[in-house]
């Protein structure tokens, strides 16, 4: 199986730095990191990753609008990893085209479960 290519988009360098080794241990290749929506879109265009992991708090363009653009114009699947509450944002993320929604305050194993579901064509949302 070919390693899944990932772009990580989070405004917090600490989060990006923590995610990279976790993803790599899980067999993913991080092809780029972005701290805002503009850079995230540029990386998706440049690398055509399998997965974009995005925080809804990214500066610049509304992150849900970026999710909509990525899901509508590319084959990249989007995993939202955010501190924003699922009760308020998960349905909006799904409507925008996200394949998964994971909160940063939840169990970190949820990110692995979400990535596995997305890699096999599925989805992962709190109510599932």
């Amino acid at each position: 199986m070919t390693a899944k290519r990932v772009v990580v988009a989070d405004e917090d360098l600490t989060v990006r730095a923590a995610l990279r080794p976790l993803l790599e241990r899980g067999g993913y290749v991080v092809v780029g990191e972005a701290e805002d929506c503009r850079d995230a879109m540029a990386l998706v265009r440049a690398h055509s990753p399998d997965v974009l992991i995005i925080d809804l708090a990214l500066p610049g363009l509304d992150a849900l609008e970026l999710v909509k653009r990525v899901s509508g114009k590319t084959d990249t699947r989007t995993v939202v990893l955010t501190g924003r509450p699922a009760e308020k944002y998960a349905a909006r993320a799904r409507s925008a085209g996200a394949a998964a929604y994971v909160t940063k305050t939840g169990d970190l194993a949820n990110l692995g479960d979400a990535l596995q579901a997305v890699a096999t064509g599925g989805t992962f949302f709190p109510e599932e």
Side-chain angles (χ1 to χ4, degrees), residues 102-114:
V102 179
T103 60
K104 291 178 179 177
T105 57
D107 186 346
L108 191 56
N110 288 338
L111 178 58
D113 293 343

Side-chain angles (χ1 to χ4, degrees), residues 3 7 16 31 35 37 39 46 55-56 59 64 68 104 119 125-126 128:
V7 167
R16 294 193 315 268
V31 296
E35 63 184 20
C37 287
D39 290 346
D55 185 355
L56 294 182
L64 286 173
K68 188 181 294 183
K104 291 178 179 177
F125 287 87
E128 295 177 346

